[in-house]
Amino acid sequence: MIKIGIVGGTGYTGVELLRILATHPHAELTAITSRKEDGVPVAQMYPSLRGRVNLAFSSPDKANLNECDVVFFATPHGVAMAQAPELLANGVKVIDLAADFRLQDVAQFEKWYGMSHTCTEHLPEAVYGLPELNREQIKSARLIGNPGCYPTTMQLGFAPLLKAGVIDASNLIADCKSGVSGAGRKAEIGILFSETSDSFKAYGVSGHRHTPETIEQLQRLTSDKVGLLFTPHLVPMIRGMHSTLYAQLKDSALSMSNEALQALFENAYKDEAFVDVMPFGSHPETRSTRASNILRLALHRPGNGKTVVILVVQDNLVKGASGQAVQCMNLMFGLDETTGLNHVPINP
Amino acid sequence: MIKIGIVGGTGYTGVELLRILATHPHAELTAITSRKEDGVPVAQMYPSLRGRVNLAFSSPDKANLNECDVVFFATPHGVAMAQAPELLANGVKVIDLAADFRLQDVAQFEKWYGMSHTCTEHLPEAVYGLPELNREQIKSARLIGNPGCYPTTMQLGFAPLLKAGVIDASNLIADCKSGVSGAGRKAEIGILFSETSDSFKAYGVSGHRHTPETIEQLQRLTSDKVGLLFTPHLVPMIRGMHSTLYAQLKDSALSMSNEALQALFENAYKDEAFVDVMPFGSHPETRSTRASNILRLALHRPGNGKTVVILVVQDNLVKGASGQAVQCMNLMFGLDETTGLNHVPINP
Amino acid sequence: MIKIGIVGGTGYTGVELLRILATHPHAELTAITSRKEDGVPVAQMYPSLRGRVNLAFSSPDKANLNECDVVFFATPHGVAMAQAPELLANGVKVIDLAADFRLQDVAQFEKWYGMSHTCTEHLPEAVYGLPELNREQIKSARLIGNPGCYPTTMQLGFAPLLKAGVIDASNLIADCKSGVSGAGRKAEIGILFSETSDSFKAYGVSGHRHTPETIEQLQRLTSDKVGLLFTPHLVPMIRGMHSTLYAQLKDSALSMSNEALQALFENAYKDEAFVDVMPFGSHPETRSTRASNILRLALHRPGNGKTVVILVVQDNLVKGASGQAVQCMNLMFGLDETTGLNHVPINP
Amino acid sequence: MIKIGIVGGTGYTGVELLRILATHPHAELTAITSRKEDGVPVAQMYPSLRGRVNLAFSSPDKANLNECDVVFFATPHGVAMAQAPELLANGVKVIDLAADFRLQDVAQFEKWYGMSHTCTEHLPEAVYGLPELNREQIKSARLIGNPGCYPTTMQLGFAPLLKAGVIDASNLIADCKSGVSGAGRKAEIGILFSETSDSFKAYGVSGHRHTPETIEQLQRLTSDKVGLLFTPHLVPMIRGMHSTLYAQLKDSALSMSNEALQALFENAYKDEAFVDVMPFGSHPETRSTRASNILRLALHRPGNGKTVVILVVQDNLVKGASGQAVQCMNLMFGLDETTGLNHVPINP
């Protein structure tokens, strides 16, 4: 059994980790910390876990995280980088669901997250935890920067085209839509039911912190210079993410058939358990992935023209966060990658 | 492996059966029928099942249901009673999720469902599939009438008080609220998104077909004459049911302490895997049961007065339909009752 | 023109007052206060009011409320009673949308609201602002305690039966359901989209502060002793309230026909512009009142038995709060009661 | 008073026309037709109109539409072109909310709508009913093709840039999101609450019938060749539309300041009552236009780069359909354009 600690388990990615790990056959939940909820049984705060998780939250100083095999950070940005060094020194693996170890470019991190990076000595060994693009590195990693939800969809959607060199890398547009749970479990007016229900809006259009992370990773796939315009939107639904990606075919690729484009995706993901390439021209719905670790995508080429449209859906809390983190954990501990992640999506 | 057939798998209880059975360790899905969708892969109609269910719908005449071990009917009322005799004669067990075998009182059935009962010869052996109240009968049954979603909450909510004889059985009020999926997957104006979202209403207040079924079952628990007022409402949510039950303590029971009332429930359900008695005074939320087979309930006694209020929540498609049907199947085939039903509720 | 001040205009009842008053032909919005938003244009905080309301919030000390004709308090409990004396002394009428002047019973107020009442000298002249039951008093009032949303539905639903003396006043049950906006615009986890959407729950079942206010008012309608069990629930919708009321006919009234019961309501409200008595057996939907000052109700008598069920719907922010307050203002200033309140409900 | 007929008043654009016209000071509702609902009072079908609309639906053959001053068609495509000639011959003005008179290019109409155009003799005089771009023509028109909801946002969003010649007209991308009411009031599985709530999807990505209409109109604004990629999506909300528009600045315009871009929009719409140009960098929410005829837009230029992003919101049933139709009517009858259209948006 893998001894597991969770730091900051009171948010949505934390409770989703608990849901997944509660039925994971090799997981032994050892400690879950929350300074504020010290002593409160997890199941009191989350009645959905009554009878399934018997742990109580404990103050970080009381939890003996150094005895865990792996610690997940489901915390605000900045927490993991403070605690990772001690854990790593004690042989504990670290998976951070926040941004501390996603960006190798420290200047970008500090610009977008408004804080100094205090753990640059471990950055070089940090692995970006997107298994479909980084599997081998993840297997041997001690420290994972788990991707954000938007970047997962953008990378898996653009990757086959970028790798094949058939699109203009400098002119990528990602029009992305997220459920409200992506904003976290915070007492803020802007995400109240009465503020977000029955409405729709964009946010962060002039610049969003997920852009540099995505560009850094996409750039690894191509020698062309990557340029990305990313527009996030808020959808009145709890879970789910839909990214509508626009790419311009290079002139040299205009003669490609739609079948050839589709084949790029099918080949790229033919061995992937969690990426479902749907038939050309499909319209995936976010609900077809609800509460599962599946990401689905489909290709379109309107008017057989220059623009390829890729529709990508996932559950932002699973493949976009906690499920992906467990997928990384499975790889890091030599387990089958799908262990504990075989949930069938909930429909309706 | 249990060979399983599903008749009428295109509705919500059908697809929910598929979701549950897809990970059930002893289930082998053999046939799923739909006259209209003959030949269509299940996963084409329900992309949530892509890669998880490889069957196609087949016309009822082509499906060899007689070779199944058990057949579930997820059909409109009237279908199961037409097909059950042949199946039973062939040694196939039958679990009907519709109303054909719920009511022993044929006159009541015919009054409320507006059709003749054409299978009265099998009614006497039909068992009402509520394991918490009928477990032993279910184990040896060949034919199950699976309870409706509302009746499950009303029965499990009132039962401990009725059995103990502490409430006025003639004056029960059940103010129940259901998510829209309870109305089924039918092309009807009244359950369109734009008609039901951001609104709330009662329906069937003057009389609802779930009343006689509930009274027939509650009457088995007491020698007092049962009287029930049942008011259903429609909530703008997909899944979930919340029943607010009101019962008047008998004068002889007015001196009971709240602890004693609570103990009635805790004792009644102490060995039940799927009934969670919450602490006295709790307010269960439907989402704490979402996509799981759990039913949660909590007691209140406002002003320590004469009226006891019982709050009951469940997922109407799971404990209120398909999960309960699988729970019955497990019992009928000698499996652990919880097999394949250990889903942790989805939150948020 | 009536010079109008609003204290605390940043919440939902405040912005709804602004929406209504923006097209009221006799309203001149003079000041709107918010200590926190001092100097911020109202339309910046609420873009829905761009081009319609040109005022900015001002700090309470800067706003010259004493020059208004009437001041609305859309504030937390306790604010109006601190400021009302000075305003009244300056000849300014006061309409409080919070609870400070609803209860004549000070002990009850202090018990349920957890604060001392500091303005008991004005309580005797405070009028409970429910025009359908208190019209004449409102016309001559200087100080209004505007009813809460739940109490409005309970009073208008039970009143005709209580006045006629045909029901057991001691055994009233009100099972009420409210949209989330009723909880206000506060940064609280419990009313986040991800916490309340796609779910349903009861709250305050053991006791809710709207109970004493409702009993105090209902008691004025009958010499029988009033007993009320009130159970509030939270519905995943923004606006709307649905109250399902249960009353037991007295033995002496059991022979009444349904027509006679219906006539009690039709006579009671035949001259009321904002109360719509629907045909016997109707099922009103909350959306049929959305964004209007209409309250609709319908009678049922299941099985022609002892229990009468009254279904009542309204928009909790309009007839349940700000619309009712403007209705009171119209009466206090000798205007036609419907002035500025003729909005047609929004459907869908 | 303008005598008004509505053909096909049972859908959402029909009932929205009724809501608006019920308080329009110059409108006299004379006839509303529905073959299926002949004799049914409008307020029975739509309780929101109880006491506000006293008409009953009548069969088309009984309604004397020829005596109206104007007839609105809130019908499926194909109905208006069959009945318009007789009405026009009788001096009745016609406003069609469907597509029959939107496209001057008959071949495009027949391709996208799958029917022959049977009224081509009146097409040349048909005016596209977008007042902000076609006001003078509308004033003198007898026959209006009222724009679809998506095209209204795309045209008003791109127009100032196209007219100024600063963007590449051949590479416009419109990523648009609509509430479910845009799909109409039809008994279809795909728009059930349980199918669309808590989910998000694109549809018609490979080609949508609103594209040719939009291109035809945009082409009138520029001599450059217009190319448009339009991607519609379905949002789990009742009303509201959000279009995210992407345009590439021409090289010659790259040196333009953001202030200069903003000025293009402010100048274009400075006299428009129903177009609100928000400050540069704003994020309009659909709810800020709910139930009103306002369209709001805001400009962004991420990274001060080549791409301009225009965010446009409206209520799809008002500015996107029935409100716009009444706006046209006002112009056609010499009324102030805003008559009866001064509703303040509903918030929350």
Side-chain angles (χ1 to χ4, degrees), chain C residues 119-185:
Chain C
C119 186
T120 51
E121 73 277 19
H122 286 292
L123 255 190
E125 68 166 305
V127 173
Y128 192 77
L130 191 50
E132 289 77 9
L133 297 179
N134 276 343
R135 182 166 288 112
E136 292 312 311
Q137 288 178 274
I138 294 168
K139 283 182 183 173
S140 56
R142 298 195 306 162
L143 174 58
I144 295 285
N146 205 54
C149 45
Y150 287 120
T152 296
T153 61
M154 292 190 272
Q155 290 171 61
L156 296 183
F158 283 127
L161 297 169
L162 277 180
K163 284 183 182 175
V166 298
I167 55 171
D168 177 0
S170 72
N171 185 15
L172 307 176
I173 294 180
D175 193 284
C176 301
K177 300 88 175 174
S178 173
V180 183
S181 66
R185 189 171 176 275

Side-chain angles (χ1 to χ4, degrees), chain D residues 30-31 33 58-68 71 86-87:
Chain D
T30 302
T33 74
S58 62
S59 178
D61 35 303
K62 296 183 198 155
N64 206 337
L65 296 173
N66 287 334
E67 295 180 1
C68 291
V71 168
E86 183 184 335
L87 291 169

Side-chain angles (χ1 to χ4, degrees), chain D residues 13 77 97-99 102 113 128-130 145-157 176-184 203 208-210 213-214 230 232-234 238-243 245 295 312-324:
Chain D
T13 53
H77 311 299
L97 282 79
R102 289 176 189 157
Y113 292 91
Y128 191 77
L130 190 49
N146 205 55
C149 45
Y150 287 120
T152 296
T153 61
M154 292 190 272
Q155 290 171 62
L156 296 182
C176 302
K177 301 88 174 172
S178 174
V180 183
S181 66
Y203 65 98
H208 186 282
R209 46 175 65 161
H210 280 174
E213 164 191 349
T214 306
F230 162 49
H233 301 76
L234 194 65
I238 298 178
R239 290 163 178 252
M241 173 162 290
H242 185 292
S243 292
L245 310 181
L295 176 148
V312 189
V313 297
Q314 69 177 4
D315 184 318
N316 58 302
L317 293 181
V318 192
K319 184 59 180 166
S322 305
Q324 185 139 272

Side-chain angles (χ1 to χ4, degrees), chain D residues 246-263:
Chain D
Y246 300 90
Q248 309 295 321
L249 289 171
K250 289 180 179 171
D251 287 346
S252 57
L254 276 178
S255 59
M256 281 185 78
S257 69
N258 294 342
E259 290 70 22
L261 288 167
Q262 175 78 1

Side-chain angles (χ1 to χ4, degrees), chain A residues 229-243:
Chain A
L229 191 68
F230 162 49
T231 314
H233 301 77
L234 193 66
V235 184
M237 62 183 178
I238 298 177
R239 290 163 176 254
M241 174 163 288
H242 185 292
S243 292

Side-chain angles (χ1 to χ4, degrees), chain A residues 12 15-16 18-19 22-23 45-52 181 193 197-198 238-239 276-279 285 287-291 294 296 317 341-348, chain B residues 12 15-16 18-19 22-23 45-52 181 193 197-198 238-239 276-279 285 287-291 294 296 317 341-348:
Chain A
Y12 292 141
V15 66
E16 187 67 356
L18 290 169
R19 179 179 75 91
T23 56
M45 187 166 194
Y46 290 115
S48 60
L49 298 172
R50 282 172 61 89
R52 308 307 291 268
S181 66
F193 182 90
S197 180
D198 216 43
I238 298 177
R239 290 163 176 254
D276 176 25
V277 180
M278 298 181 72
E285 305 175 61
R287 65 178 184 142
S288 76
T289 66
R290 189 186 288 145
I294 287 284
R296 299 188 206 278
L317 292 180
L341 289 171
N342 72 334
H343 312 84
V344 182
I346 311 305
N347 172 25
Chain B
Y12 292 141
V15 67
E16 187 67 355
L18 292 168
R19 180 180 75 92
T23 56
M45 186 165 193
Y46 289 115
S48 60
L49 298 171
R50 282 172 62 90
R52 308 307 292 268
S181 66
F193 182 90
S197 180
D198 216 42
I238 298 178
R239 291 163 177 253
D276 174 25
V277 180
M278 297 181 73
E285 305 176 59
R287 66 177 184 144
S288 75
T289 66
R290 190 187 288 145
I294 287 283
R296 299 189 206 276
L317 293 180
L341 289 171
N342 71 336
H343 312 85
V344 182
I346 310 306
N347 172 26

Side-chain angles (χ1 to χ4, degrees), chain A residues 131 133-141 331:
Chain A
L133 297 179
N134 276 342
R135 181 167 289 114
E136 292 313 310
Q137 287 178 275
I138 293 168
K139 284 182 182 173
S140 56
L331 288 168

